[in-house]
């Protein structure tokens, strides 16, 4: 293939971004697959992420069949796999990152406009057939939603593989509770390849290219050339124009969509992938949900085949994608990381039997009938919380879809952070954990709500999906009982006969209690990955560490709403 490095892409404000272009040999016009982001187009996957790379190829050795792997980069397509299929790959370093100069402002309107201009540049090249598709994981998926809403004329299809749509609710303020994930990632994965790190950064082991540019800027210059993400998040605790500008307007997304999510993508991408499917305006859209780690299946034979059939149809006019691909393709999950691929026609599934399990805090139970007698239990939010258990299931039972909880709570302070955790327990009462997108020992599902953010957006709220406006704070009166609705993120599990489900109500992140796994982000993975909520100022013990009381029975019929799916 032809490889052109640092191809200049002049933006309308005069900034010149740099791209790598990988093309089939010879003449002709081809569809384009593009990615645009801050992780370094010339940063070697194997060198920068050796642990993840080793785990990926061990699980899926076919990833290195027919490729040297020299052109692999984190969370974007391998040109050696795709160019032989008759595609041009264009990999762009976003403004201020890698080998592109400028100011780093992730998911800003400026970056979305840049992406629009890059798409239009690629769609008008002599080697392009005029159709551009977008491909990539995580960051490279999130900004697909954003730019698709701007409707670039040459954009023909998008495949956001595990990507947030709502930058506030999906990633940074879960239920209004601030997460420290993105500021940590920003320092490790984005600042390290900021344009101007230059010779202090990594050099590609095969091509000798400095991933962060040839210019060496001092630390003050680098700081002046990037947004202070941690400070910006602190300054915007409510959903305002800052978040609106950095979240996709899904109602304006009309291009064909293949949205690929991960059952283990709690606290990051799964919610966005499902919302992208249900809320985008496209007449041609598909949802696929899988398991395994965040970055693996995209590169696997399964993932490449799925993407290729989609892009072949919409970028080349080849194949029978709409006839052969169900609207919803779910890898139904069983304990032990066993999956069974099944096609469905919609989300949530039309045959769902929405089933209420009522909380009985007196007996620490989840019951199909509400308790007549009122009861209460108090817990220390930063402690063990309260866990309630269902009876053993009498037969194998599938739970697939969104989950909601209605709770009645009171607090000793003017606010309370509610962390809800769904569990699966085996015959012996031992919790069954799952491989998450970025956490190898994850609970069944999780949900969050800051009680002062309890006001619902009634126009968007559904019984199985409470939606909160997050635009104002309504403090609690200590001791007063409040009704709150909590969104618990979608999940999928076939519960074996004899197993139980559980619900924990906590005031802190879930911790499986076992040995934590180290990360590069300054936090151990202990069941919640790196998506933790540990800001000591935003979650002060004086407010959020005070006793909370959970009410059930009588006039306070708290319940968990589960999507039980009968056989088709």
């Amino acid at each position: 293939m032809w490889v052109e490095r640092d191809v200049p892409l002049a933006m309308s404000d005069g900034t010149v971004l740099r791209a790598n272009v990988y093309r089939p040999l010879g003449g002709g016009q081809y569809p384009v697959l593009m990615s645009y982001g801050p992780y370094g187009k010339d940063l070697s996957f194997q060198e920068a992420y050796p642990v993840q790379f080793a785990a990926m190829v061990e699980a899926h050795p076919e990833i290195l069949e027919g490729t040297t792997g020299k052109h692999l980069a984190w969370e974007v397509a391998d040109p050696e796999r795709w160019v032989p299929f008759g595609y041009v790959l264009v990999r762009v370093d976003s403004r201020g990152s890698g080998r592109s100069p400028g100011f780093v402002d992730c998911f800003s309107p400026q970056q979305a406009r840049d992406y629009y201009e890059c798409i239009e540049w690629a769609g008008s090249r002599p080697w392009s057939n005029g159709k551009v598709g977008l491909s990539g994981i995580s960051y490279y998926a999130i900004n697909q939603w954003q730019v698709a809403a701007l409707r670039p004329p040459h954009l023909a299809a998008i495949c956001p593989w595990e990507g947030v749509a709502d930058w506030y609710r999906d990633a940074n303020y879960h239920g209004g509770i601030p997460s420290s994930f993105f500021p940590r990632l920003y320092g490790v994965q984005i600042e390290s390849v900021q344009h101007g790190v230059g010779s202090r950064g990594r050099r590609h082991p095969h091509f000798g290219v400095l991933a962060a540019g040839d210019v060496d800027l001092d630390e003050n210059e680098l700081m002046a050339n990037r947004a202070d993400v941690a400070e910006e998040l602190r300054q915007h605790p409510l959903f305002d124009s800052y978040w609106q500008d950095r979240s996709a307007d899904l109602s304006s997304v009309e291009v064909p969509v293949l949205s690929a999510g991960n059952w283990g993508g709690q606290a990051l991408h799964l919610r966005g992938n499902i919302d992208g499917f249900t809320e985008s305006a496209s007449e041609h859209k598909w949802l696929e949900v899988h398991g395994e780690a965040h970055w693996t299946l995209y590169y696997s034979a399964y993932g490449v085949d799925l993407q290729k059939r989609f892009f072949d149809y919409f970028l080349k006019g080849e194949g029978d994608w709409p006839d052969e691909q169900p609207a919803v393709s779910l890898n139904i999950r069983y304990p032990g990381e066993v999956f069974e691929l099944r096609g469905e026609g919609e989300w949530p599934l039309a045959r769902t039997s929405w089933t209420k399990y009522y909380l009985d805090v007196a007996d620490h139970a989840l019951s199909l009938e509400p308790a007549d007698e009122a009861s209460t239990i108090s817990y220390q939010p930063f402690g063990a919380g309260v866990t309630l258990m269902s009876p053993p299931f009498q037969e194998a039972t599938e739970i697939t879809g969104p989950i909601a909880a209605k709770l009645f709570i009171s607090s000793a302070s003017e606010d309370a952070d509610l962390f809800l955790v769904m569990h699966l327990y085996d015959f012996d009462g031992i919790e069954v954990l799952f491989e998450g997108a970025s956490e190898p020992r994850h609970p069944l599902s999780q949900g969050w709500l800051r009680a002062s953010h309890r006001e619902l957006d009634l126009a968007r709220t559904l019984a199985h999906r409470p939606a909160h406006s997050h635009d104002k704070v309504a403090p609690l009166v200590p001791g007063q009982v409040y009704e709150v609705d909590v969104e618990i993120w979608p999940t999928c599990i076939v519960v074996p006969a004899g197993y139980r489900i559980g619900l924990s109500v906590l005031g802190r992140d879930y911790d499986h209690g076992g040995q934590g796994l180290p990360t590069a982000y300054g936090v151990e993975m202990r069941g919640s990955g790196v998506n933790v909520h540990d800001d000591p100022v935003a979650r002060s013990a004086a407010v959020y560490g005070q006793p909370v009381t959970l009410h059930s029975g009588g006039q306070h019929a708290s319940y968990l709403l589960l999507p039980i799916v009968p056989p088709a």
Side-chain angles (χ1 to χ4, degrees), residues 246-554:
R246 287 161 173 76
S247 299
D249 176 6
L250 294 172
S251 67
S252 296
V253 176
E254 297 181 342
V255 70
V257 174
L258 170 58
S259 179
N262 189 318
W263 296 123
Q266 296 161 32
L268 194 53
H269 296 309
L270 177 60
R271 187 182 189 277
N273 280 111
I274 290 176
D275 283 0
F277 170 73
T278 58
E279 297 182 19
S280 63
S282 176
E283 296 180 5
H284 309 285
K285 55 185 180 180
W286 289 264
L287 174 67
E288 183 273 350
V289 191
H290 52 263
E292 294 199 23
H294 177 46
W295 56 89
T296 57
L297 284 182
Y298 172 84
Y299 295 95
S300 72
Y302 168 84
V304 170
D305 173 72
L306 185 71
Q307 297 166 73
K308 183 177 181 298
R309 290 188 293 110
F310 173 71
F311 285 127
D312 279 354
Y313 185 82
F314 287 105
L315 303 188
K316 293 182 175 183
E318 298 176 357
D320 297 308
W321 170 268
D323 297 325
E324 63 188 20
Q325 186 69 18
V328 175
S329 182
L330 305 177
N331 287 273
I332 302 300
R333 184 168 61 178
Y334 295 76
E337 303 303 320
V338 175
F339 296 91
E340 181 180 284
L341 185 62
R342 190 178 76 207
E344 296 285 352
E346 68 288 310
W347 179 275
L349 307 188
R351 66 183 184 280
T352 300
S353 175
W354 299 101
T355 304
K356 291 179 180 178
Y357 276 78
Y358 292 91
L359 279 63
D360 182 350
V361 300
D363 292 334
H364 289 261
L366 296 172
S367 306
L368 289 172
E369 298 295 333
D372 293 330
E373 297 295 325
S375 55
T376 64
I377 191 169
S378 296
Y379 63 91
Q380 295 295 328
F382 296 166
V386 177
T387 298
L388 305 102
M389 301 273 283
S390 77
F393 280 75
Q394 297 301 303
E395 59 184 6
T397 303
E398 180 182 334
I399 300 172
T400 297
I403 303 169
K406 181 179 289 292
L407 303 181
F408 291 87
I409 62 120
S410 55
S411 174
S413 77
E414 66 268 27
D415 209 346
D417 281 348
L418 302 173
F419 291 69
L420 272 59
V421 183
M422 282 279 298
H423 309 278
L424 178 67
Y425 297 101
D426 68 11
F427 303 108
D428 300 316
I430 297 173
E431 184 173 9
V432 179
L433 297 175
F434 301 89
E435 181 173 12
S438 57
E439 160 62 65
R441 291 173 292 181
H442 215 288
L444 190 55
S445 189
Q446 300 185 70
W448 305 263
L449 181 66
R450 176 158 284 185
S452 61
H453 287 228
R454 64 191 176 277
E455 181 176 298
L456 293 171
D457 179 347
L458 296 179
R460 300 179 64 232
T461 289
L462 301 169
H464 59 264
R465 169 70 184 276
H468 298 88
S469 55
H470 296 298
D471 58 1
K472 62 177 65 70
V473 173
L476 308 180
V477 174
Q480 183 171 319
V481 179
Y482 292 89
E483 177 181 343
V484 296
D485 294 277
V486 185
E487 174 190 1
I488 300 176
W489 283 28
T491 193
C492 174
I493 186 63
V494 177
V495 180
Y499 281 42
R500 301 170 186 257
I501 59 165
L503 174 69
S504 291
V505 183
L506 305 159
R508 57 166 175 81
D509 288 300
Y510 168 80
D511 186 327
H512 53 53
Q515 179 65 44
L517 298 176
T519 71
Y521 301 95
V523 61
E524 285 188 339
M525 288 192 291
R526 304 190 59 85
S528 296
V530 295
N531 301 296
V532 294
H533 308 77
D534 59 357
D535 186 327
V537 176
R539 297 219 332 112
S540 70
V543 175
Y544 299 101
Q546 301 307 304
V548 174
T549 301
L550 191 59
H551 301 251
S552 71

Side-chain angles (χ1 to χ4, degrees), residues 174-237:
H174 299 120
I177 304 172
S179 169
S180 61
F181 163 70
F182 191 64
R184 283 191 166 108
L185 176 143
Y186 190 76
V188 173
Q189 290 187 243
I190 295 176
E191 290 182 13
S192 63
V193 287
Q194 183 182 353
H195 183 77
V197 170
S199 62
R200 290 162 291 172
R202 292 184 182 271
R203 188 182 295 273
H204 198 286
H206 298 290
F207 309 116
V209 180
L210 285 169
D214 299 325
V215 177
D216 285 353
L217 302 180
D218 64 35
E219 289 303 317
N220 289 330
E221 291 173 304
L222 290 171
M223 288 179 61
N225 280 345
R226 64 176 182 253
D228 184 342
V229 166
E231 182 58 29
E232 288 184 351
L233 268 56
R234 282 192 290 268
Q235 289 177 1
H236 298 276

Side-chain angles (χ1 to χ4, degrees), residues 42-70:
D42 296 296
L43 187 64
S44 166
F45 191 144
Q46 297 93 316
E47 183 183 37
Y49 304 93
V51 174
Q52 292 88 339
F53 179 79
M56 179 176 73
V57 297
E58 180 180 1
H60 297 281
E62 78 275 9
I63 287 172
L64 290 182
E65 292 177 5
T67 175
T68 66
K70 292 179 180 179

